[in-house]
Amino acid sequence: MSAEPKDIRDVVRFLQQGADLGLGEIFLERLTRNEALMAVAEARSGAKTVGTGAAKHETGAAKHETAAGKHETAATAPREGECVEASVPDSDLMRLQYTELKTVAESCQRCRLAKGRTQVVFSDGNPQARLMVVGEAPGANEDRTGLPFVGQAGKFLDLLLAAVDLSREDSVYICNVLKCRPPGNRDPMADEIELCSPFLKRQIALVAPEVILAVGTFAAQLLTGSDRPLGKLRGSVYSYEGVPLVVTYHPAALLRNAGWTRSTWDDLQLLRQVMDGS
Ligand code: URA
């Protein structure tokens, strides 16, 4: 169990019980229980404030002063190699609304990637889009800008989508399996995917796209629930929690292997057919 003070754990338990009973607002400044849970989560992870509608509320973490007059935070990012207990449990994530989910993701300390990131890369595009594209993980450009698929692979993805009359300006919402950059662009690790995927699961439920396009092996395997290689997975329409799902090669892989261009073209035609209902 954590070294966190018992009173914080009691507050969390109290809020959680109320939330489980379906109670909404609590005392003081019209915080909802989920907002209060987020404030506690952010205090635990060391963030200073949490936005709740119009107001910003100071968390406990921001108020503790050290002898040197510096802010003392309640928790620190996991050390290299370490993954930690989620400060906002998965069951609570599944109740959050879109901006709450994004706020919690932005201060997430669930895994070792929190330590090396510049910023959390939550999404780009239109949250009301018909199509949701799910990639693998942010790279250096994404980590710097906070937006997914902004590098070379991203530009190529935009071209591929444009070829079937889709764009992130209106018809596409884009995100990744992992919200933080793995060091040196290494592959995502299984525990990182497990800890991060509840954010994606809730994101999909909230965006409620008509169709999902998984690009690359990690997104395709996670969303199909299969460990078959991409070359064997592609070419079919799957269902992710009732949402039609098409899978294709990752644009970065396609840039390295032009031999997959024809298959990718076929996958995009399949996607278009699903979206057109034909
Ligand atoms: N590759 C991905 O899978 N996602 C990004 O955001 C960028 C590159």
Side-chain angles (χ1 to χ4, degrees), residues 22-241:
L23 302 176
E25 273 180 15
I26 55 169
F27 51 89
L28 293 179
E29 302 185 64
R30 302 176 69 82
L31 275 184
T32 66
R33 278 169 202 277
N34 278 335
E35 285 167 346
L37 280 165
M38 281 166 55
V40 173
E42 294 211 352
R44 284 165 149 180
S45 68
K48 289 185 194 152
T49 57
V50 59
T52 56
K56 291 255 179 203
H57 300 275
E58 257 194 313
T59 65
K63 289 188 185 149
H64 290 298
E65 297 238 324
T66 63
K70 294 255 157 58
H71 290 305
E72 197 175 58
T73 55
T76 52
R79 281 184 294 274
E80 190 64 37
E82 198 181 36
C83 279
V84 297
E85 190 187 335
S87 57
V88 179
D90 291 354
S91 53
D92 290 351
L93 284 189
M94 298 309 146
R95 295 195 198 106
L96 298 182
Q97 293 308 307
Y98 189 86
T99 41
E100 297 170 326
L101 185 74
K102 188 164 182 280
T103 302
V104 172
E106 282 166 355
S107 61
C108 177
Q109 301 287 332
R110 287 179 167 215
C111 85
R112 62 183 75 78
L113 299 181
K115 188 165 177 276
R117 72 176 178 230
T118 307
Q119 50 194 322
V120 170
V121 178
F122 192 72
S123 70
D124 193 20
N126 178 3
Q128 266 88 49
R130 296 182 63 201
L131 174 68
M132 182 162 181
V133 175
V134 182
E136 181 180 309
N141 292 308
E142 291 76 20
D143 178 67
R144 186 171 42 77
T145 58
L147 294 170
F149 282 104
V150 290
Q152 214 192 356
K155 292 193 173 65
F156 192 34
L157 176 66
D158 286 343
L159 287 175
L160 293 170
L161 292 171
V164 282
D165 207 18
L166 296 165
S167 89
R168 61 175 108 186
E169 274 72 53
D170 51 17
S171 44
V172 183
Y173 176 92
I174 304 186
C175 62
N176 285 304
V177 170
L178 294 188
K179 311 293 184 230
C180 299
R181 182 193 182 203
N185 296 345
R186 65 154 167 76
D187 283 350
M189 290 183 181
D191 60 346
E192 293 160 359
I193 294 176
E194 193 183 328
L195 286 161
C196 203
S197 57
F199 285 104
L200 177 62
K201 183 174 174 164
R202 183 65 183 153
Q203 223 171 348
I204 295 174
L206 289 166
V207 172
E210 283 173 39
V211 185
I212 301 171
L213 176 68
V215 298
T217 304
F218 288 94
Q221 291 187 339
L222 178 69
L223 297 179
T224 59
S226 163
D227 59 4
R228 300 176 79 207
L230 190 65
K232 294 266 191 308
L233 284 175
R234 57 160 297 280
S236 302
V237 181
Y238 300 84
S239 167
Y240 175 84
E241 312 239 326

